[in-house]
Amino acid sequence: MKNRIVVIDGGYESYEQEKRLLQDAGYELDIFQGERHDRGSKKSFINDAVGVFVRWTSIDRDFLHGLDHLKAIVRYGVGYDNIDLDAATHHSISVANVQGYANHSVSDHALALMFSCLRTLKPHERRLSKDFGKPQRKDIFELHNKTLGIVGLGRIGSTLANKACALFKEVVAVDPYVDL
């Protein structure tokens, strides 16, 4: 039996890089083609796999029960919100995520949302073409003399903090895992 690794949460345009890397290491990559929320079919698909790539599917104790060949779970993304780490440990399954995934895109999005709120863009987007150049409100909020507070200084929070330093008067943060 060839060592089989599966992707159970698709959605990326291509898996050629994964296929090439895994093939060079002696593995075969299969991609689940079923329904997004069909946990039963996903579990059956994984049945003889030694590894799984997951994005959003909940991997809990019940899901892992009976997957005797599974040795590794890799989450496409940061964090382990959808993976029961205790259950994986109980089954001797290693778990990893993609360090640095989306640091810039998520921090850029956070800044974009701040600017959108700052200029009340969403409620006024229909007026934008008609009243272009007129202030959205009497007192325009400006960032240069404001303080930004960030909760969490992981990879994304610290990336946002670095970008925000040039925009805000002060950037403050709190994180129970980081001595500030």
Side-chain angles (χ1 to χ4, degrees):
M1 176 177 81
K2 191 168 187 179
N3 287 328
R4 186 168 166 263
I5 296 178
V6 299
V7 175
I8 61 169
D9 296 325
Y12 292 112
E13 227 175 89
S14 171
Y15 294 90
E16 291 308 311
Q17 183 174 2
E18 290 93 332
K19 283 181 180 179
R20 187 174 51 256
L21 288 169
L22 292 170
Q23 186 176 23
D24 290 349
Y27 294 91
E28 171 185 297
L29 182 69
D30 288 329
I31 300 160
F32 179 73
Q33 300 296 324
E35 294 296 318
R36 175 181 175 154
H37 299 291
D38 188 348
R39 283 174 45 97
S41 292
K42 287 180 179 184
K43 184 172 177 174
S44 295
F45 186 72
I46 293 173
N47 192 42
D48 64 344
V50 296
V52 60
F53 288 98
V54 61
R55 290 169 73 186
W56 52 75
T57 297
S58 178
I59 307 294
D60 55 21
R61 192 169 299 276
D62 290 337
F63 191 88
L64 293 174
H65 181 73
L67 296 177
D68 300 329
H69 299 283
L70 193 60
K71 301 295 178 210
I73 300 168
V74 175
R75 173 140 191 277
Y76 275 123
V78 296
Y80 302 104
D81 300 354
N82 57 320
I83 300 171
D84 183 338
L85 296 176
D86 290 333
T89 299
H90 175 77
H91 289 279
S92 300
I93 299 170
S94 298
V95 181
N97 61 15
V98 181
Q99 299 294 313
Y101 179 86
N103 291 354
H104 286 286
S105 61
V106 174
S107 62
D108 288 352
H109 189 72
L111 286 171
L113 291 173
M114 283 184 229
F115 281 117
S116 179
C117 291
L118 174 72
R119 298 295 181 190
T120 59
L121 295 180
K122 187 64 179 166
H124 302 288
E125 68 185 20
R126 276 187 233 121
R127 283 186 42 221
L128 190 59
S129 60
K130 186 178 119 195
D131 296 331
F132 183 76
K134 295 180 183 174
Q136 299 289 327
R137 55 185 175 207
K138 184 179 175 184
D139 296 319
I140 296 179
F141 185 89
E142 294 181 340
L143 299 180
H144 73 90
N145 61 354
K146 301 296 187 268
T147 299
L148 173 66
I150 300 174
V151 177
L153 279 178
R155 288 174 181 81
I156 294 171
S158 58
T159 301
L160 174 60
N162 288 332
K163 291 176 182 180
C165 284
L167 301 171
F168 290 85
K169 179 180 179 182
E170 185 176 19
V171 176
V172 296
V174 62
D175 189 316
Y177 303 107
V178 177
D179 290 328
L180 301 175

